[in-house]
Amino acid sequence: MLTSLSSVLAKAQRGRYAVGAFNFNNLETLQAIMGAAEAEHSPVILQTSEGALAYAGMEELAALVHLAAKKSKRPVIFHLDHGKDYALVVEAVKSGLYTSVMFDGSALPFKENVRRTKKIVEMAHQRGMSVEAEIGLIAGKEDFVSVSERDAAMTQPAQAAEFARLTQCDALAVAIGTRHGAFKMKKESSLDFHRLKLIAEATRVPLVLHGASGVPSHIKRLCTQSGCEISSAKGIPDAQIKKAVSLGICKVNIDTDLRIAFDAGIRTFLKQRPDVIDPREILKPARDLMAMVARSKMRLFGCSKKG
Ligand code: G3H
Ligand code: 13P
Ligand code: ZN
């Protein structure tokens, strides 16, 4: 059933676990995520980026989620991920299709981020919807040039607390050294756990970790063996994700790990079976691999058997 982000995150915060938030753009990925949630008895957050909406349409993706949630006994949240376009976030709120939205004003000056986030929160709360906001810049698409720039862009604990107080947002995405995409870390490096601890001490708002994919080695191997060039890809080690959850992260965003599982499934199958032309046969191994990855994330985050 569809439920609210704030209630699921409040429960996660009390239980000291995190709920997985998975990006999807198509039916097979949605089926894989929902299959994982059922198998793991886990609550689940299904999220669509602005890019997903441009690819498949808001109403179309919402219809898939609403049907899946109706058939499921698990708590399901339908969330807009990284809404940077203010008008699109307003449209998503007014549509009534989502249970929560993220307004991502992280690239704006602090005051303007507060002003716009506050407006979205007021509008969403009137309709019973929750809002995730962001303070600090999570790298990936807007890469940083130097280490000092990276540090300067990380979330400042006192500013995070002030932001949460002023906006009354329901969840807060923080920058502690993660990065979107498959190429996160050049060598063994650590997330800024000290910063995370200070942020969690400064505010009670549930915290969100973006750019949290791990690039599992067996998936990466399948990809590279079948011709996908991601040999220098590196994600966040599982132990660091676990530690971040123990320090107060309540929602963990995963997109890349499902993308590479999809890729690995398709490439491996097509290499072995060049005779097959039926898309259902081609997509099934990809769907199975994505479900396996989603299940392992739910166990890692501690949300298995919680829904
Ligand atoms: O954080 C961003 C997500 O990975 C979505 O990526 O904008 O390519 O859909 P996308
Ligand atoms: P990854 O690219 O690490 O999967 O992060 C996804 C994300 O943060 C979506 O908002
Ligand atoms: Zn993100």
Side-chain angles (χ1 to χ4, degrees):
M1 67 251 163
L2 279 175
T3 188
S4 83
L5 180 72
S6 55
S7 67
V8 165
L9 294 190
K11 218 174 146 193
Q13 196 171 42
R14 283 195 302 274
R16 301 190 80 81
Y17 62 88
V19 182
F22 301 94
N23 288 73
F24 78 102
N25 298 272
N26 60 11
L27 176 66
E28 285 74 14
T29 310
L30 176 80
Q31 289 174 325
I33 301 163
M34 285 308 297
E38 297 302 338
E40 293 297 327
H41 291 236
S42 173
V44 68
I45 300 164
L46 297 160
Q47 53 187 23
T48 54
S49 65
E50 289 182 351
L53 302 185
Y55 175 75
M58 188 187 289
E59 289 187 346
E60 288 79 353
L61 294 172
L64 294 177
V65 171
H66 287 218
L67 198 58
K70 205 169 131 188
K71 288 180 167 181
S72 172
K73 290 195 183 70
R74 310 291 148 223
V76 177
I77 288 114
F78 184 36
H79 182 73
L80 175 73
D81 185 33
H82 287 289
K84 293 195 183 202
D85 177 349
Y86 183 81
L88 181 83
V89 182
V90 171
E91 184 193 331
V93 171
K94 288 188 175 167
S95 75
L97 296 170
Y98 288 92
T99 48
S100 55
V101 293
M102 174 183 189
F103 173 65
D104 178 355
S106 58
L108 300 169
F110 181 80
K111 271 192 172 166
E112 188 57 15
N113 190 3
V114 168
R115 194 181 71 80
R116 292 196 198 186
T117 303
K118 220 172 139 182
K119 275 189 159 179
I120 296 288
V121 168
E122 281 164 13
M123 214 181 292
H125 283 182
Q126 274 170 17
R127 293 166 170 82
M129 292 166 72
S130 316
V131 177
E132 175 184 341
E134 179 173 327
I135 184 91
L137 275 175
I138 297 153
K141 282 170 188 155
E142 63 275 357
D143 279 356
F144 304 118
V145 178
S146 67
V147 173
S148 59
E149 273 180 338
R150 178 176 173 266
D151 286 346
M154 285 208 204
T155 304
Q156 310 299 321
Q159 207 181 43
E162 179 70 349
F163 183 83
R165 189 184 66 77
L166 291 171
T167 63
Q168 293 296 301
C169 62
D170 305 284
L172 186 63
V174 292
I176 56 162
T178 58
R179 164 185 296 265
H180 291 107
F183 303 88
K184 298 184 191 296
M185 291 182 169
K186 285 213 163 53
K187 48 183 175 352
E188 219 47 68
S189 56
S190 175
L191 300 183
D192 193 338
F193 293 115
H194 178 63
R195 184 181 300 273
L196 176 58
K197 195 165 174 286
L198 294 179
I199 298 168
E201 280 167 6
T203 174
R204 285 294 299 153
V205 70
L207 303 176
V208 183
L209 192 65
H210 282 246
S213 278
V215 189
S217 53
H218 61 291
I219 303 290
K220 181 170 147 179
R221 198 174 322 114
L222 280 176
C223 273
T224 47
Q225 276 168 358
S226 47
C228 176
E229 195 23 78
I230 57 161
S231 49
S232 61
K234 185 153 175 42
I236 314 289
D238 283 358
Q240 293 198 27
I241 297 294
K242 233 179 167 151
K243 186 163 179 188
V245 172
S246 77
L247 291 173
I249 292 293
C250 300
K251 172 177 182 271
V252 180
N253 282 18
I254 299 290
D255 187 356
T256 297
D257 282 348
L258 295 186
R259 289 183 183 197
I260 59 175
F262 188 81
D263 223 64
I266 291 183
R267 287 176 196 261
T268 307
F269 181 81
L270 286 178
K271 204 173 169 202
Q272 287 164 358
R273 296 290 309 275
D275 57 309
V276 175
I277 58 160
D278 184 339
R280 293 167 300 188
E281 275 192 68
I282 295 168
L283 291 173
K284 193 172 177 304
R287 187 173 65 184
D288 292 345
L289 214 49
M290 287 191 287
M292 206 181 83
V293 168
R295 286 188 69 170
S296 71
K297 296 293 170 192
M298 289 167 184
R299 280 181 237 133
L300 175 67
F301 305 156
C303 55
S304 280
K305 315 287 178 213
K306 296 280 180 3

Coordinates of all heavy atoms in Angstrom, one line a residue, residues 23 47 81-82 179-181 184 210-213 253-257, ligand 2:
N23 N 15.8 4.2 -8.0 CA 15.3 4.9 -9.2 C 14.8 3.9 -10.2 O 15.4 2.8 -10.3 CB 16.4 5.7 -9.8 CG 16.8 6.9 -8.9 OD1 17.4 6.8 -7.9 ND2 16.4 8.1 -9.4
Q47 N 11.5 5.8 -6.8 CA 11.7 7.2 -7.1 C 12.0 7.4 -8.6 O 12.6 6.6 -9.3 CB 12.7 7.9 -6.2 CG 14.0 7.3 -6.2 CD 14.9 7.9 -5.1 OE1 14.4 8.6 -4.2 NE2 16.2 7.8 -5.2
D81 N 12.5 12.3 -7.3 CA 13.9 12.5 -6.9 C 14.6 13.7 -7.6 O 14.3 14.0 -8.8 CB 14.7 11.2 -7.4 CG 16.1 11.1 -6.9 OD1 16.4 11.6 -5.9 OD2 16.9 10.5 -7.7
H82 N 15.4 14.4 -6.9 CA 16.1 15.6 -7.4 C 15.3 16.5 -8.3 O 15.6 16.8 -9.4 CB 17.3 15.1 -8.2 CG 18.4 14.6 -7.4 ND1 19.2 15.4 -6.6 CD2 18.9 13.4 -7.3 CE1 20.1 14.7 -6.0 NE2 19.9 13.4 -6.4
R179 N 29.1 10.5 -4.2 CA 29.0 11.1 -5.6 C 28.1 10.2 -6.4 O 28.1 9.0 -6.3 CB 30.5 11.0 -6.1 CG 30.7 11.2 -7.6 CD 32.2 10.9 -7.9 NE 33.0 11.9 -7.2 CZ 33.5 13.0 -7.8 NH1 33.2 13.3 -9.0 NH2 34.2 13.9 -7.1
H180 N 27.3 10.8 -7.3 CA 26.4 10.1 -8.2 C 27.2 9.3 -9.2 O 28.3 9.7 -9.6 CB 25.4 11.0 -8.9 CG 24.4 11.6 -8.0 ND1 24.4 12.9 -7.6 CD2 23.4 11.0 -7.3 CE1 23.4 13.1 -6.7 NE2 22.7 12.0 -6.6
G181 N 26.7 8.2 -9.7 CA 27.3 7.5 -10.9 C 28.2 6.4 -10.4 O 28.3 6.0 -9.2
K184 N 33.0 6.8 -8.3 CA 32.9 7.6 -7.1 C 34.2 7.9 -6.4 O 34.4 9.0 -5.9 CB 32.0 6.9 -6.1 CG 30.6 6.7 -6.6 CD 29.8 6.1 -5.5 CE 28.5 5.6 -6.0 NZ 27.6 6.6 -6.5
H210 N 22.6 10.2 -0.7 CA 22.6 10.0 -2.2 C 23.9 9.5 -2.7 O 24.9 9.5 -1.9 CB 22.4 11.4 -2.8 CG 20.9 11.9 -2.7 ND1 20.1 12.0 -3.9 CD2 20.2 12.2 -1.7 CE1 18.9 12.4 -3.5 NE2 18.9 12.6 -2.2
G211 N 23.9 9.1 -3.9 CA 25.2 8.6 -4.5 C 25.8 7.4 -3.7 O 27.0 7.4 -3.5
A212 N 24.9 6.5 -3.3 CA 25.3 5.5 -2.4 C 25.6 4.1 -3.0 O 25.8 3.1 -2.3 CB 24.3 5.3 -1.3
S213 N 25.6 4.0 -4.3 CA 25.8 2.7 -5.0 C 27.2 2.2 -4.6 O 28.2 2.9 -4.5 CB 25.6 2.8 -6.5 OG 24.3 2.8 -6.8
N253 N 19.8 6.2 -1.3 CA 19.4 6.3 -2.8 C 20.3 5.4 -3.6 O 21.6 5.5 -3.6 CB 19.5 7.7 -3.3 CG 18.4 8.6 -2.9 OD1 17.6 8.2 -1.9 ND2 18.2 9.7 -3.6
I254 N 19.7 4.6 -4.4 CA 20.4 3.7 -5.3 C 19.9 3.7 -6.7 O 18.7 3.5 -7.0 CB 20.3 2.2 -4.8 CG1 20.9 2.0 -3.4 CG2 21.0 1.2 -5.8 CD1 22.4 2.1 -3.3
D255 N 20.7 4.1 -7.7 CA 20.3 4.1 -9.1 C 21.4 3.3 -9.9 O 21.1 2.3 -10.5 CB 20.2 5.5 -9.6 CG 19.7 5.5 -11.0 OD1 19.5 4.5 -11.6 OD2 19.5 6.6 -11.6
T256 N 22.7 3.7 -9.7 CA 23.7 3.1 -10.5 C 23.8 1.6 -10.4 O 24.0 0.9 -11.4 CB 25.1 3.7 -10.1 OG1 25.0 5.1 -10.4 CG2 26.3 3.1 -10.8
D257 N 23.7 1.0 -9.2 CA 23.8 -0.4 -9.0 C 22.7 -1.2 -9.8 O 23.0 -2.3 -10.2 CB 23.8 -0.8 -7.5 CG 25.2 -0.5 -6.9 OD1 26.2 -0.3 -7.6 OD2 25.3 -0.6 -5.7
Ligands
13P2 P1 24.0 6.3 -7.3 O1 24.4 6.9 -8.6 O2 25.2 6.1 -6.4 O3 23.2 5.1 -7.5 O4 23.1 7.4 -6.6 C1 21.7 7.5 -6.9 C2 21.0 8.7 -6.3 O5 21.6 9.4 -5.5 C3 19.7 9.1 -6.9 O6 19.2 10.3 -6.3

